[in-house]
Amino acid sequence: MKTFFKELFEYNFNFNQKTLYFLAENQEQISDKLIRLLSHMVNVHGIWNSRILSTKINYKPWDTFSVKELIEIDNANFNSSISIMEKFDLAFEIQYSTFNGKPYNNTIRDILFQIINHSTYHRGQIATVFRECDMKPLLTDWIFYKMN
């Protein structure tokens, strides 16, 4: 299972980075909505990693960052997730609290899947915003990743 999760995170990282580098080269077409969605997607990934690792993070889910900052945060998130997979049993259950203080317990496996599922959800929204900005969205489906 760890091998599959590693591949999912490689897929996620690949398309996050391709999207961010495309935007870095097309700054004039970026909308606030696009940056807000990308920031949220990347931020939440980091927040979940910090919950697993019991570390502090200095941003909230809807804080916005520049494309350059998002490239760096996404890279750190990817490396952190890979490290988590190497160090922990995916069935290990962690306790954490939401931003409003409500306590929860989940397995690392479920949290890692949440990161991927959340990113996929928002990648669909990002594709829609690309079209609204008169840009052709990247093909980010899993199967396209596997074809290459």
Side-chain angles (χ1 to χ4, degrees):
M1 181 169 292
K2 283 187 178 188
T3 302
F4 181 62
F5 268 107
K6 184 174 187 266
E7 191 174 15
L8 286 173
F9 277 88
E10 289 167 348
Y11 151 77
N12 193 59
F13 180 67
N14 175 67
F15 284 122
N16 286 355
Q17 292 290 302
K18 281 184 178 181
T19 301
L20 290 165
Y21 276 100
F22 176 83
L23 294 177
E25 295 170 2
N26 296 280
Q27 292 280 338
E28 69 283 352
Q29 292 180 273
I30 297 175
S31 71
D32 290 342
K33 187 176 180 182
L34 190 54
I35 286 296
R36 184 169 159 81
L37 284 169
L38 280 161
S39 292
H40 174 70
M41 185 176 72
V42 171
N43 293 351
V44 169
H45 183 163
I47 290 165
W48 280 115
N49 282 344
S50 73
R51 287 175 175 161
I52 293 169
L53 297 169
S54 297
T55 58
K56 299 270 186 207
I57 202 143
N58 60 353
Y59 49 81
K60 293 193 175 20
W62 288 102
D63 288 351
T64 57
F65 293 97
S66 70
V67 171
K68 182 181 177 190
E69 290 169 317
L70 289 171
I71 290 168
E72 293 171 9
I73 295 167
D74 184 58
N75 190 47
N77 287 345
F78 172 73
N79 289 326
S80 182
S81 292
I82 295 301
S83 178
I84 286 167
M85 284 180 256
E86 291 170 353
K87 292 179 182 177
F88 292 95
D89 178 345
L90 299 185
F92 183 73
E93 194 170 278
I94 66 159
Q95 297 177 330
Y96 62 93
S97 295
T98 60
F99 283 102
N100 64 6
K102 189 170 181 182
Y104 286 95
N105 295 340
N106 288 105
T107 64
I108 291 173
R109 179 193 65 234
D110 289 340
I111 292 170
L112 293 176
F113 184 73
Q114 169 60 24
I115 293 168
I116 295 300
N117 193 52
H118 182 261
S119 295
T120 300
Y121 172 78
H122 286 298
R123 227 182 319 278
Q125 291 178 318
I126 290 164
T128 299
V129 178
F130 260 70
R131 287 183 187 95
E132 291 170 359
C133 295
D134 294 324
M135 295 185 289
K136 182 179 178 182
L138 300 171
L139 293 175
T140 61
D141 289 347
W142 170 256
I143 202 68
F144 291 116
Y145 176 74
K146 294 301 289 181
M147 288 177 182
N148 293 322

